[in-house]
Amino acid sequence: MRKQIAAANWKMNLTYQQGEELLDEILSAGVKLNEHQQAIFAVPSPYLLMTRSTVEEELNYFASAQNCYNKKSGAYTGEVSAEMLNSINIKYCVLGHSERREYFIESNAMLAEKVNLCLENFVTPIFCCGEPLAIREAGTQNEFVATQLKESLFHLPAEKIKTLIIAYEPIWAIGTGKTATTEQAQEIHKYLRSVLADQYGEEVANEIPILYGGSVKANNAKELFASPDVDGGLVGGASLVAADFVEIIKALK
Ligand code: 13P
């Protein structure tokens, strides 16, 4: 079975102490994951080591960065490289979140460079795609997300792309409480998988987890994750509340 993943994206929230407390509460719920399930915590950079050492005792719980830079190293004050993440044993990094694309003007080409640097440094990208409201209203969301994949990922050989995690996050559903319906999520996830299959074949496409993000909550996760092409979620707001995120982990197939 393809990996099923509950990924928390804390964004720029919580103090260090609140983060520690949240992780302790989540872990004390004692949810055991099987071999195809994972819980991943994308936390602010200063909390990466604490998060890694807190969750690494539990099978299939991991820490993730929220971003890294598109250069190997050098005079880029304030930035974090993929090599640095690897050097502290952080194995995941969210790339191309819509907030980064919007506020930090990250282009598909820049994200392709970040993807390469992560892979060279043994860091698995959690690659985000998703359309804004105007594109959804115009009905051109499929072309929009296919272009994001093509321009940032399709230079990769099959053996590399099949190690990635993709997250589909419609921008109109992020932090708005407006979730894509289960049908909308399944439809576009199935489409994304077909785009991957056209390029790399069905076997490769079937190995890549595609997470849904955008107002995933404790009360809608089970229904969303039940769809055949939805392999879990990338969760913002609800990942900041221990009881809610525990329910979301439990909702994994
Ligand atoms: P919300 O779950 O708060 O809508 O955020 C989704 C998101 O952006 C996760 O990366």
Side-chain angles (χ1 to χ4, degrees), residues 9 11 97 99 169 173-176 213-217 234-238:
N9 178 6
K11 308 190 180 183
H97 192 280
E99 288 147 18
E169 299 205 307
I174 295 177
T176 58
S215 299
V216 175
K217 304 291 175 202
L234 180 56
V235 186

Side-chain angles (χ1 to χ4, degrees), residues 203-217:
E203 206 183 308
V204 169
N206 281 334
E207 276 193 47
I208 301 174
I210 306 180
L211 316 185
Y212 168 78
S215 299
V216 175
K217 304 291 175 202

Side-chain angles (χ1 to χ4, degrees), residues 1 5 9 58 83 89 117 119 129 146 164 184 199 225:
M1 190 179 187
I5 300 166
N9 178 6
E58 288 295 329
E83 187 181 32
N89 218 10
L117 283 165
L119 292 173
C129 61
L164 260 62
Q184 282 172 325
Q199 183 74 12
F225 299 174

Side-chain angles (χ1 to χ4, degrees), residues 29-63:
V31 182
K32 297 288 172 218
L33 300 177
N34 63 36
E35 75 282 353
H36 70 260
Q37 295 173 327
Q38 294 186 340
I40 299 178
F41 297 87
V43 302
S45 301
Y47 311 170
L48 280 169
L49 276 179
M50 174 278 286
T51 301
R52 198 207 69 201
S53 61
T54 305
V55 304
E56 71 191 353
E57 300 291 302
E58 288 295 329
L59 187 67
N60 289 342
Y61 284 68
F62 300 97

Side-chain angles (χ1 to χ4, degrees), residues 176-190:
T176 58
K178 197 174 163 190
T179 322
T181 63
T182 311
E183 293 72 29
Q184 282 172 325
Q186 168 56 23
E187 191 184 8
I188 198 153
H189 281 229
K190 190 173 172 200

